[in-house]
């Protein structure tokens, strides 16, 4: 019944992965499952250890780098105020380096100019460069490079 011992090891490693979230214990659990299958087929201890080693190597050198790369990527969909960055807005009340009002995505937002020396007139179109709290930091469209 060596396959049962491999299953117990896989379960214990799976529980360790659940609490640590490192990906390593999960990959070791998968390798232990491969060894359990090999043991269940009737292959001896040496074959089980080779299967375990092959499973560990495949997990650590093939699967883990791909998983880490996917986890490090930024989400494709921006949410909340981050989704407003880069949007076009219309100036409703003159925008200076300290105050102003724009219409952004159908809502009125307080705004200030990115360049504090600029005064952006009513009716001009601006791009939202960043959001600071409830204030949009904007720059005139015609001055963008």
């Amino acid at each position: 019944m060596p396959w049962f011992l491999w299953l117990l090891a896989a379960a214990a490693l799976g529980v360790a992965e659940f609490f640590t979230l490192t990906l390593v214990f999960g990959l070791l659990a998968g390798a232990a499952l491969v060894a359990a299958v090999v043991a269940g087929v009737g292959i001896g201890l040496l074959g089980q250890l080779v299967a375990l080693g092959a499973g560990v190597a495949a997990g650590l050198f093939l699967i883990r780098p791909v998983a880490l790369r996917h986890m490090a990527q930024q989400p494709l969909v921006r949410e909340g105020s981050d989704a407003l960055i880069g949007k076009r807005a219309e100036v409703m009340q003159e925008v200076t380096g300290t105050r102003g009002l724009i219409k952004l995505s159908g809502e009125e937002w307080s705004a200030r100019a990115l360049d504090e020396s600029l005064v952006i007139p009513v009716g001009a179109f601006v791009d939202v460069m960043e959001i600071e709290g409830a204030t949009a930091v904007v720059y005139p469209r015609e001055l963008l490079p």
Side-chain angles (χ1 to χ4, degrees):
M1 292 202 351
W3 62 270
F4 185 71
L5 296 175
W6 286 115
L7 284 179
L8 285 176
L13 289 166
V15 168
E17 175 63 34
F18 178 77
F19 288 109
T20 62
L21 299 175
T22 61
L23 295 178
V24 174
F25 289 118
L27 295 172
L28 291 174
L33 285 176
V34 170
V37 169
V38 169
V41 172
I43 297 176
L45 181 61
L46 181 61
Q48 295 169 30
L49 293 175
V50 168
L52 178 70
V56 167
L60 292 178
F61 297 116
L62 298 176
I63 297 171
R64 190 167 191 265
V66 172
L68 290 175
R69 190 169 41 246
H70 281 279
M71 288 174 24
Q73 289 179 347
Q74 293 291 329
L76 297 176
V77 177
R78 293 188 297 178
E79 298 175 341
S81 61
D82 285 341
L84 298 174
I85 296 173
K87 295 262 185 177
R88 180 179 168 182
E90 183 179 0
V91 176
M92 305 300 289
Q93 187 180 73
E94 185 177 77
V95 176
T96 66
T98 57
R99 62 187 171 90
L101 191 66
I102 61 171
K103 186 163 198 156
L104 174 62
S105 294
E107 299 177 347
E108 289 186 354
W109 276 73
S110 60
R112 71 172 182 82
L114 179 64
D115 182 352
E116 294 184 11
S117 65
L118 287 177
V119 175
I120 307 168
V122 174
F125 288 99
V126 293
D127 283 323
V128 177
M129 306 307 277
E130 60 185 282
I131 302 289
E132 290 179 352
T135 302
V137 180
V138 298
Y139 199 76
R141 288 188 68 86
E142 63 271 0
L143 297 179
L144 287 173

